[in-house]
Amino acid sequence: MKPVELPAAFRELLRRLSKPERRKIGLALSEVEQAYGQPHRHRGLGLRDLPKGCVEVRVGLNRRIVLRVTRDALVCEMIGTHDDVKKFLRNL
């Protein structure tokens, strides 16, 4: 288990979303926190490895969260669509 960290910039992104969307994201991040490091549980969460030391979790059909994997935690980096994730990774 690795804790999920929400930097200030990420919290600002969350504030722009509706309350039901924030609730779904909170539940997804809580599940990721509990399941990370147990690959058999990753698939059900829509968790997958990305290049450059990141992972992606799917929240609904169009929403993705990118987390940077550090030694001690999973740090939330961005929320967006599949295309937003691709653009984010190109700019890392």
Side-chain angles (χ1 to χ4, degrees):
M1 180 176 115
K2 279 195 181 202
V4 172
E5 292 181 1
L6 305 173
F10 187 83
R11 287 193 306 266
E12 183 60 37
L13 293 172
L14 285 176
R15 284 187 195 103
R16 297 179 192 161
L17 302 175
S18 68
K19 201 170 213 171
E21 285 181 297
R22 289 193 308 258
R23 191 173 303 122
K24 282 174 61 175
I25 289 168
L27 288 172
L29 291 176
S30 176
E31 289 175 358
V32 166
E33 188 173 57
Q34 297 299 316
Y36 189 79
Q38 301 174 28
H40 62 281
R41 292 180 62 193
H42 290 186
R43 190 165 191 202
L45 297 176
L47 186 65
R48 69 184 190 108
D49 288 326
L50 296 174
K52 302 182 181 183
C54 294
V55 293
E56 172 188 76
V57 63
R58 187 178 60 243
V59 182
L61 294 175
N62 295 324
R63 182 115 20 227
R64 308 281 193 271
I65 301 172
V66 175
L67 302 107
R68 185 173 29 88
V69 180
T70 67
R71 190 171 57 106
D72 300 323
L74 299 169
V75 181
C76 294
E77 294 288 332
M78 62 89 59
I79 302 172
T81 65
H82 178 73
D83 291 336
D84 295 334
V85 170
K86 286 170 47 176
K87 190 182 303 180
F88 174 79
L89 291 172
R90 274 194 306 264
N91 293 324
L92 270 182

